[in-house]
Amino acid sequence: DMLRDHLSRLADGHAIEKPVLDFITNRRAGVTKILPAQFLVLEGLFALEMVRLLPLDFPMLKLYTAVDFYPDLLKRRVERDTA
């Protein structure tokens, strides 16, 4: 698939042309050139795809997950759900 191909090409030191989606027409509206770099940040929903890419295809790939945490929100939800 395209994600696997693009990550492989970037890992091999080649540039890729990432499609740009027009959310109004739900069609591709062009491309953005992405150059290879020492680090690649893949965020949003596509980051969830990383799990199926590890570890065989990209052994040098490391997965980090960051989640915003709001203690007050958690406290309110616990109080609400256990009341």
Side-chain angles (χ1 to χ4, degrees):
D1 70 336
M2 186 181 299
L3 177 61
R4 182 185 299 266
D5 179 56
H6 281 181
L7 288 175
S8 180
R9 291 185 50 75
L10 287 167
D12 290 340
H14 302 285
I16 62 161
E17 291 187 344
K18 177 185 75 85
V20 175
L21 181 65
D22 181 336
F23 291 101
I24 294 172
T25 63
N26 201 27
R27 297 207 164 126
R28 290 185 184 172
V31 295
T32 298
K33 187 172 186 173
I34 306 292
L35 301 174
Q38 185 176 2
F39 295 97
L40 172 68
V41 175
L42 185 64
E43 63 180 354
L45 292 176
F46 290 114
L48 299 174
E49 290 283 315
M50 300 289 283
V51 173
R52 70 184 180 85
L53 298 174
L54 296 174
L56 299 176
D57 296 294
F58 305 99
M60 75 297 220
L61 201 59
K62 294 192 179 1
L63 179 64
Y64 296 96
T65 304
V67 178
D68 290 330
F69 178 71
Y70 304 99
D72 293 339
L73 177 63
L74 177 61
K75 180 182 175 195
R76 287 195 315 264
R77 287 188 178 176
V78 168
E79 289 172 355
R80 178 197 69 195
D81 295 343
T82 58

